[in-house]
Amino acid sequence: MNASQTISLLGYALLGLIHQKPASGYDLRRTFSTTPMGSFSDSPGAIYPALRRLEAAALIRGRIEKSAGLRQRQTFHITAPGLAALQQWLASPITRLDIVRHMDALMLRFAFMDGVAGPVRSHDFLSRFAEELDTYVQELHTYFDPHHSAMPLSARLALESGIRGYEAQRAWARTAVVAYARTLKGRRPTRQRKTRQEKRGVPS
Amino acid sequence: MNASQTISLLGYALLGLIHQKPASGYDLRRTFSTTPMGSFSDSPGAIYPALRRLEAAALIRGRIEKSAGLRQRQTFHITAPGLAALQQWLASPITRLDIVRHMDALMLRFAFMDGVAGPVRSHDFLSRFAEELDTYVQELHTYFDPHHSAMPLSARLALESGIRGYEAQRAWARTAVVAYARTLKGRRPTRQRKTRQEKRGVPS
DNA sequence: TCACCCATGTAAAGTGTTACATGATTAG
DNA sequence: CTAATCATGTAACACTTTACATGGGTGA
């Protein structure tokens, strides 16, 4: 509830994973080193301090387990304020800045969205995402068209690569919106109908 | 030549831009705020200290200009060691880690490559890039195939988005390799033939 | 005169990187 | 016995972010 606390992207990644399933620091490190979440560093110097920050903010709580004869192991669980922080983060609007410089954060938010906020929110997020991508792609084109002939070949190609990347994201978002629309089959109230999310998907 | 100095990605971006054309801090800020290089922050708190670090390392040199009646303005030029550092950076191998976590750095390197190292190097870089992408895309698929059915829809889609993105990059790289091959028309010695780069493109 | 653009900077705070350290258990 | 894996941590360092500060010139 403390208004001044900020949470880094790594912090949200940890919070989201712990929400899916309680985990130790070591578990989280392994998630980062063995799954496509590998865009996060698995270094202990990043993860353990981040966990301590989350715990200090009361967003997670650790329980020491001495089950096997191994070294003590602390499993973290999410708290009510932790879940609230996660939901608030997922609900924040998509800005141009997010598109230009924080695509990774947007994708992370979306990855957690079904389990935390439900498929209706996921669908809404995707439509907004596609819209925002659309305007940015147009922006890139209006820069590219008059400038491209004066650029070195590699610079021009690099810019094209970026544009292609954003276009691919947009195409993906559009098909994903359709996938959700099919899943949410027909009736769908104006906004949402109680978030019942545990209905499908989430094994937790 | 100091072996211990490290240069941040922002530092290389500045170095590369200054190599293309001498510029002041303000010029560089405007490049970041008005072109697709906007993935870098245009905040003075990042740029001016970075410029001072580069200058302290003797990679760039600033000349004060008082041309118009405006406030003093310092234009930075690249030095011989600066160009060497840039070339060394561009020549460094493409690693898996680059693909997973530093795609932005790879694209930046490529954007500068024609002007600094010549089109032959650009072509070689792209082939290596496509190869490395290929193995990573396969890696992602071998993770995705057994896991996707157990993932929440949004998580699965987020992963698919990542895979699509890498595949788009790969497709782009392949067409770009062809574009270079056409440009380098026919004869092309085993390695390189003197780097003559000013032949085409670079307006500088 | 007021606001805005040019142009450069500083200071505090927080975070990630790198490298090192510790100690128990298990497989060969 | 040795190496690898489990499991957690600390310390130094450099970097980016954010916010503030300064001061001249220009257009309304």
Side-chain angles (χ1 to χ4, degrees):
Chain A
M1 282 308 245
N2 189 345
S4 69
Q5 70 187 338
T6 63
I7 303 172
S8 69
L9 187 59
L10 173 60
Y12 282 116
L14 296 171
L15 202 52
L17 288 172
I18 289 168
H19 167 76
Q20 284 182 353
K21 183 173 157 46
S24 69
Y26 194 71
D27 292 336
L28 296 161
R29 286 186 64 196
R30 287 202 33 227
T31 297
F32 292 153
S33 62
T34 64
T35 74
M37 301 264 302
S39 53
F40 290 96
S41 166
D42 66 343
S43 93
I47 289 175
Y48 290 106
L51 286 171
R52 262 185 287 114
R53 287 195 297 271
L54 292 174
E55 197 176 27
L59 305 179
I60 60 175
R61 194 169 304 138
R63 289 179 206 156
I64 293 160
E65 289 176 6
K66 237 180 178 162
S67 51
L70 291 167
R71 183 176 176 173
Q72 79 165 33
R73 178 192 148 88
Q74 202 174 182
T75 306
F76 293 95
H77 302 249
I78 197 164
T79 64
L83 181 57
L86 199 51
Q87 284 167 333
Q88 191 182 323
W89 180 56
L90 296 189
S92 59
I94 298 173
T95 67
R96 198 198 104 106
L97 185 67
D98 289 325
I99 298 286
V100 179
R101 296 183 48 195
H102 303 301
M103 193 61 95
D104 49 351
L106 289 177
M107 278 300 121
L108 188 66
R109 283 166 60 181
F110 178 66
F112 290 140
M113 205 157 284
D114 263 21
V116 177
V120 173
R121 298 299 188 89
S122 298
H123 174 271
D124 290 354
F125 179 89
L126 279 180
S127 331
R128 280 287 305 125
F129 179 64
E131 274 174 43
E132 205 64 42
L133 269 176
D134 221 53
T135 71
Y136 188 54
V137 166
Q138 283 182 353
E139 228 177 86
L140 288 175
H141 272 121
T142 59
Y143 179 90
F144 184 74
D145 293 343
H147 289 91
H148 75 98
S149 54
M151 296 168 75
L153 180 55
S154 66
R156 174 162 80 230
L157 286 168
L159 178 49
E160 271 182 35
S161 154
I163 295 176
R164 294 273 193 94
Y166 282 111
E167 286 173 342
Q169 293 280 309
R170 182 179 55 176
W172 162 84
R174 283 173 178 164
T175 68
V177 165
V178 173
Y180 267 104
R182 240 199 319 269
T183 298
L184 300 174
K185 237 186 331 199
R187 110 225 64 150
R188 200 206 134 191
T190 317
R191 204 49 193 165
Q192 58 171 328
R193 162 206 292 275
K194 208 70 173 196
T195 326
R196 58 166 162 52
Q197 64 204 241
E198 304 300 329
K199 196 62 169 296
R200 73 167 322 290
V202 201
S204 162
Chain B
M1 282 309 247
N2 191 345
S4 69
Q5 70 187 340
T6 62
I7 303 172
S8 70
L9 187 59
L10 173 61
Y12 281 116
L14 296 171
L15 203 51
L17 288 172
I18 289 169
H19 167 77
Q20 284 182 353
K21 182 172 157 50
S24 70
Y26 193 73
D27 293 335
L28 295 162
R29 287 187 64 196
R30 288 202 33 227
T31 297
F32 291 152
S33 62
T34 65
T35 75
M37 300 264 304
S39 53
F40 290 95
S41 165
D42 65 343
S43 93
I47 290 176
Y48 290 105
L51 286 171
R52 262 185 286 112
R53 287 195 298 272
L54 291 175
E55 195 175 27
L59 305 179
I60 59 175
R61 193 170 305 140
R63 290 180 207 157
I64 294 160
E65 290 175 4
K66 237 181 181 162
S67 51
L70 292 166
R71 183 176 175 177
Q72 77 166 33
R73 177 193 148 88
Q74 201 175 180
T75 307
F76 293 96
H77 302 250
I78 197 164
T79 63
L83 180 57
L86 199 52
Q87 285 168 332
Q88 190 180 323
W89 180 57
L90 296 189
S92 59
I94 298 173
T95 67
R96 199 199 103 106
L97 185 67
D98 288 325
I99 298 286
V100 179
R101 297 182 48 198
H102 303 300
M103 193 61 94
D104 50 350
L106 289 178
M107 276 303 121
L108 187 67
R109 282 166 61 181
F110 179 66
F112 290 140
M113 206 158 284
D114 263 22
V116 177
V120 174
R121 296 299 188 90
S122 298
H123 174 273
D124 291 354
F125 179 90
L126 279 180
S127 330
R128 280 287 305 125
F129 180 64
E131 275 174 43
E132 205 64 41
L133 269 176
D134 220 56
T135 71
Y136 187 55
V137 166
Q138 283 182 352
E139 230 176 86
L140 288 174
H141 271 121
T142 59
Y143 179 90
F144 183 75
D145 292 343
H147 288 92
H148 75 98
S149 54
M151 296 167 75
L153 181 54
S154 67
R156 174 162 79 232
L157 286 169
L159 179 49
E160 271 181 36
S161 154
I163 295 177
R164 294 273 193 94
Y166 283 112
E167 286 173 341
Q169 292 281 307
R170 182 179 56 177
W172 164 82
R174 282 174 179 164
T175 67
V177 165
V178 173
Y180 267 105
R182 241 198 319 270
T183 297
L184 301 172
K185 235 186 331 200
R187 112 223 62 152
R188 201 204 134 195
T190 317
R191 205 50 193 165
Q192 58 170 328
R193 152 200 303 271
K194 209 71 173 196
T195 327
R196 58 168 162 49
Q197 64 204 241
E198 303 301 330
K199 193 64 167 295
R200 75 166 321 287
V202 201
S204 160

